[in-house]
Amino acid sequence: TKRPGGMKGFDWGPYLAQTGSDAAPITCFKHCPMSDHWQNINTGMKVELENHLCDIHAFWIATVVKVAGYKALMRFEGFGNESTYDFWINLCTQDVHPVGWCATVGKPLVPPKSIQDKYIDWKEYLIKRLTGARTLPSNFYNKVVECINDIPIKKGMQLEVVDKMCVSAMKVAKVQEVVGGRLRLHYTDSKEEIDEFWCHMRSPLVHPIGWSQTSGHKLHATQEYRSKCLNKITMDKYDPDDVTPDMFEKKKEPPHGAKFQEGMKLEAIDPLNLSAICVATVMKVLKNNYLMIGIDGSIAQNGTDWFNYHSTSPCIFPVGFCEVNGIELTPPRGYKGQFKWFEYLRQTKSSAAPVKLFDKEIPKHGFKPANKVEAVDLMEPRLICVATVSRVVGRLLRIHFDGWEVTYDQWVDCETADLYPVGWCEVMNYGLEGPRVKIEPISPVPVVPKLVKESPF
Ligand code: MLZ
């Protein structure tokens, strides 16, 4: 069987079969194409596909046997319960047609060669099989393309994004490429040509121009940029290549209008080591409910690793969150003895951020442990990798990269824009990183010499 498409990167099909695993459903990914329409895509649905099991260029009807993200395991009509010739396709490609398409455009429907003689009257058989069956809406592929292109941020636009070399500051960057909402950015002040940074437009790391100055966040930029921005904001007049505040979702309001204060202690995902939830402190309160959070015991000097979190961020937690949820809390680096919040607060003469300050909403997200996904490796965000949801704690997900040590795992929120369904990279024509395969050294095969007869001379 030929591989449909000519796909870039790793092919999920055989791997899903081998591991017998389920993919997280498209409806989990609100930032991805078709997530609002996918509840209608089900097993049993029929489509018309090119028939790769016959000698001529023709088409045939196939049934969805299993759905995995954007991918579907298909079986041609006539094979009955025989699964030998099942094959994987991506439902969001141009090669998938609703039933009736061949008749409309005048293409031949021809059954697979090996079963051509199985029925005398294929037409009668198909009518029986198709009665009451569902197919894709005729504009399905157009909808997919529409969703993919419905992105306000375009190549050439300018925005503010975290400085990957110094996470406590923002920098100005220009969009080089947009792939399904993911932006390939180039820092405007960078001398190097290939100094890129990948980030989804819905990531909390990107902001419209002028955001740093409006929020009081540190910004590495020229004086010229600063004053131009301030002017644009006060006049509410932007250039066509500016990324503007209206291109982003409005941030939530903090519950009860209550406010975090400098010095309050909390637990936070370590932005520089996403496998750890750490003891942390509110280092600075910015405007518009933004905070700078520092990880306790960090060795960086003068706050270069403080990190910006919105006060409604799902990645900061009240003191005791890890203990309640059976997650290992990472104590401050160099902390002596068993870490106990109660003692630590006393020792540091500090107080815990009140629980009521934290957003407690848990969306009905639908992710389940063992679900397969395509996940951005946020330590190397150009890479999208084959991954598994290894834990679900309320709205928090632990992502394990298949084949990699658990130290590479990442805690992410269920609504992160850095998680994609199985088949997303294929739809976007972006190379997917497969699981790491450990190459086992081949052990020498012992041959017992006595079993082999010497030939007589
Ligand atoms: N250069 C890195 C790549 C790790 C990518 C892991 N992705 C889950 C390394 O080889 O360590």
Side-chain angles (χ1 to χ4, degrees), residues 85-388:
Y85 299 101
D86 289 359
F87 56 101
W88 288 92
I89 59 160
N90 193 307
L91 288 168
C92 292
T93 57
Q94 236 172 335
D95 318 321
V96 181
H97 309 283
V99 172
W101 177 82
C102 283
T104 313
V105 299
K107 299 276 185 194
L109 278 172
V110 176
K113 202 177 169 195
S114 63
I115 52 169
Q116 256 157 24
D117 302 327
K118 195 167 168 187
Y119 299 97
I120 300 159
D121 192 344
W122 275 103
K123 193 176 167 187
E124 183 197 45
Y125 171 81
L126 281 186
I127 290 172
K128 233 193 280 159
R129 294 282 300 166
L130 289 172
T131 307
R134 279 163 307 102
T135 189
L136 292 176
S138 59
N139 59 350
F140 185 78
Y141 184 67
N142 292 341
K143 266 234 175 73
V144 173
V145 174
E146 227 172 77
C147 288
I148 292 172
N149 294 330
D150 183 26
I151 291 161
I153 299 184
K154 310 268 184 237
K155 182 179 169 172
M157 285 184 169
Q158 199 175 217
L159 48 69
E160 293 181 9
V161 62
V162 82
D163 179 352
K164 67 172 174 180
M165 301 310 281
C166 171
V167 294
S168 61
M170 294 286 156
K171 267 193 169 187
V172 187
K174 203 172 182 168
V175 179
Q176 307 291 305
E177 186 184 357
V178 184
V179 179
R182 272 175 42 91
L183 313 173
R184 182 162 63 83
L185 300 169
H186 184 261
Y187 293 111
T188 315
D189 68 352
S190 175
K191 305 238 163 6
E192 283 155 72
E193 210 156 308
I194 33 172
D195 184 19
E196 57 174 33
F197 184 61
W198 281 92
C199 188
H200 195 280
M201 64 158 293
R202 293 216 197 177
S203 153
L205 305 182
V206 285
H207 302 282
I209 66 144
W211 177 85
S212 299
Q213 293 179 89
T214 318
S215 329
H217 194 281
K218 199 158 143 201
L219 172 70
H220 292 157
T222 61
Q223 196 48 51
E224 190 198 353
Y225 172 83
R226 287 166 185 278
S227 37
K228 265 193 178 159
C229 270
L230 286 182
N231 206 25
K232 285 173 182 176
I233 292 166
T234 38
M235 308 297 282
D236 194 27
K237 240 179 107 107
Y238 293 93
D239 292 328
D241 62 352
D242 288 335
V243 168
T244 53
D246 59 295
M247 295 176 187
F248 295 86
E249 267 171 37
K250 264 217 146 49
K251 286 278 173 200
K252 280 196 201 168
E253 283 299 316
H256 321 290
K259 297 255 191 284
F260 283 92
Q261 275 156 32
E262 215 173 284
M264 284 177 171
K265 299 281 179 199
L266 68 170
E267 299 178 5
I269 299 179
D270 180 353
L272 298 174
N273 171 18
L274 298 162
S275 71
I277 299 182
C278 301
V279 171
T281 307
V282 177
M283 302 309 288
K284 205 172 163 194
V285 178
L286 309 182
K287 283 178 222 155
N288 301 327
N289 303 307
Y290 286 101
L291 308 169
M292 295 308 289
I293 304 286
I295 301 299
D296 285 24
S298 112
I299 43 172
Q301 295 298 299
N302 44 44
T304 48
D305 63 352
W306 292 358
F307 192 73
N308 178 249
Y309 278 120
H310 193 262
S311 61
T312 61
S313 167
C315 300
I316 56 174
F317 316 95
V319 161
F321 172 85
C322 283
E323 194 180 339
V324 168
N325 292 290
I327 297 171
E328 199 184 323
L329 174 69
T330 305
R333 182 193 288 264
Y335 188 84
K336 299 251 162 31
Q338 172 98 359
F339 180 84
K340 290 240 169 46
W341 263 118
F342 170 77
E343 275 165 34
Y344 185 67
L345 290 174
R346 192 168 44 83
Q347 286 159 1
T348 55
K349 296 189 179 57
S350 50
S351 61
V355 176
K356 66 167 189 197
L357 299 186
F358 295 85
D359 191 79
K360 274 171 284 296
E361 193 197 320
I362 300 176
K364 287 200 181 68
H365 51 72
F367 285 103
K368 294 204 174 65
N371 279 175
K372 294 288 179 200
V373 292
E374 299 184 357
V376 176
D377 177 349
L378 289 157
M379 293 297 124
E380 220 167 307
R382 178 179 54 86
L383 304 178
I384 304 185
C385 312
V386 166
T388 308

